[in-house]
Structures are given as structure tokens and as C-alpha cells.
């Protein structure tokens, strides 16, 4: 039988994947935008007048530029950086989570479910052997253990977890990437 005569192999379904995200392209930024972003990343409560002075522009121009950065999606929000230790949750960890191969279609739902839990500070959908990296804060090792057992190990989609304790979180000197 030649290759012309052999039957075509049965079509294989592509592996399930997370739902597609909107592709983001880099937003053009000039030097003034970069100064504004740098100052806001250092102090989100800076006054408009002080921000304008740092950028060397008029306060009305500054206000319009910051609004434009928000509208263009460069600035995603303004928020307080709260120390979990001050709230009695001084034990922080990163937990790598791997889902079963047949659970891939539930990736987005699983991530949203995790993000809603009070112990969770951040959820990262990642490439590599694991599917998620979860940043959590708890009051004790007992609470951390309970979190892993109740919310991860007991979940039928979870294949494995690896917990890494965080001793210290160091912040970069320049808060705006690419500066």
C-alpha cells in the first residue's frame, strides 16, 4: 500500500486550552508619560500639582495625561499596598499548582475560584510544568496546611502542589518596568 492508498489518520482533537485573552500590544509612551508612571508607582497618593511639577508640565495637562493613561489601560488602578502581617497573616507562601491533563478546560474557572479566597493575594496562570502560582498569606502553618488540603489537594482537578515559604519580599528600586 502506498502513501496515496493509505487511509488518512483519524483527526485528533487539539488539547483543551484556557480561553483566549485579548492580545495587548505595547502602548506608546513618551518621556512625560514615563515620569508620571514612575512617580505614581512610587507614591499613588501624590498630589496632581506635585506630579505635574515632577514631570515639568501644567497641572491641567498632568490631569489629562493621567486620565489618558487610565483610559488606554496603562494604569490599571490605584490601590493601597497592605502588609498582610499587620492583618495577622504574617506567613506568606507561593504555591505551585498542577492540574490533571483532562482538567485543562476548567483553567479559567479554577483561577477565578482561587482568586476569590480570602487567603489569596495573587493568582498567576503560568507556563511550564505547573499551571498556577498562587501567592497566599495565612496566620500560621496550620492555616496554610488547611488551605492547601481544603482548597487544593481536595479539588478533583488538582494533580499536585508545591508550597514555597516566603521569608522576605524585596521590592525593586525602580517600580516602573523598562525604566
Amino acid at each position: 500500500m502506498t502513501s496515496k492508498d493509505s487511509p488518512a489518520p483519524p483527526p485528533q482533537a487539539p488539547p483543551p486550552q484556557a480561553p483566549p485573552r485579548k492580545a495587548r500590544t505595547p502602548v506608546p509612551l513618551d518621556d512625560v508619560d514615563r515620569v508620571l508612571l514612575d512617580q505614581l508607582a512610587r507614591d499613588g497618593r501624590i498630589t496632581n500639582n506635585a506630579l505635574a511639577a515632577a514631570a515639568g508640565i501644567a497641572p491641567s495637562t498632568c490631569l489629562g495625561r493621567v486620565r489618558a493613561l487610565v483610559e488606554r489601560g496603562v494604569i490599571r488602578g490605584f490601590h493601597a499596598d497592605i502588609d498582610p502581617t499587620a492583618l495577622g497573616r504574617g506567613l506568606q507562601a507561593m504555591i505551585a499548582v498542577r492540574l490533571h491533563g483532562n482538567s485543562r478546560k476548567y483553567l479559567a474557572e479554577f483561577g477565578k475560584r482561587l482568586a476569590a479566597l480570602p487567603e489569596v493575594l495573587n493568582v498567576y496562570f503560568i507556563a511550564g510544568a505547573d499551571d498556577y502560582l498562587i501567592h497566599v498569606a495565612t496566620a500560621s502553618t496550620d492555616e496554610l496546611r488547611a488551605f492547601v488540603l481544603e482548597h487544593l489537594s481536595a479539588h478533583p482537578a488538582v494533580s499536585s502542589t508545591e508550597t514555597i515559604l516566603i521569608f522576605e519580599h524585596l521590592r525593586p528600586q525602580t517600580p516602573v518596568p523598562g525604566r
Side-chain angles (χ1 to χ4, degrees):
M1 190 180 243
T2 66
S3 61
K4 285 183 182 179
D5 299 327
S6 55
Q12 293 185 1
Q17 298 175 357
R21 290 185 48 177
K22 288 184 186 177
R24 290 264 313 151
T25 57
V27 175
L29 301 172
D30 63 18
D31 290 341
V32 172
D33 289 333
R34 292 186 192 287
V35 169
L36 296 174
L37 292 171
D38 185 59
Q39 292 297 313
L40 287 168
R42 291 177 192 280
D43 179 7
R45 295 177 47 147
I46 190 171
T47 65
N48 186 61
N49 287 343
L51 185 58
I57 57 177
S60 59
T61 302
C62 181
L63 192 58
R65 302 258 324 221
V66 170
R67 282 187 184 144
L69 289 167
V70 170
E71 289 169 3
R72 292 167 35 205
V74 177
I75 296 175
R76 295 185 293 193
F78 299 89
H79 64 276
D81 184 9
I82 300 168
D83 182 2
T85 303
L87 302 178
R89 298 189 306 162
L91 181 65
Q92 293 186 56
M94 298 298 277
I95 306 171
V97 179
R98 183 177 303 173
L99 301 182
H100 291 291
N102 61 354
S103 299
R104 301 280 186 236
K105 60 187 169 195
Y106 302 111
L107 280 171
E109 176 189 325
F110 185 78
K112 287 178 184 175
R113 186 178 155 278
L114 288 174
L117 298 172
E119 298 89 350
V120 175
L121 302 177
N122 292 291
V123 176
Y124 302 97
F125 177 50
I126 59 174
D130 297 310
D131 297 300
Y132 283 99
L133 192 58
I134 308 159
H135 181 192
V136 300
T138 62
S140 67
T141 55
D142 287 340
E143 284 188 17
L144 178 59
R145 179 179 181 275
F147 175 85
V148 171
L149 291 175
E150 293 170 17
H151 299 291
L152 301 175
S153 298
H155 195 286
V158 173
S159 169
S160 66
T161 66
E162 181 180 0
T163 302
I164 303 129
L165 295 181
I166 298 172
F167 293 131
E168 185 176 9
H169 178 191
L170 305 173
R171 300 216 181 250
Q173 291 294 332
T174 306
V176 178
R179 228 16 225 144

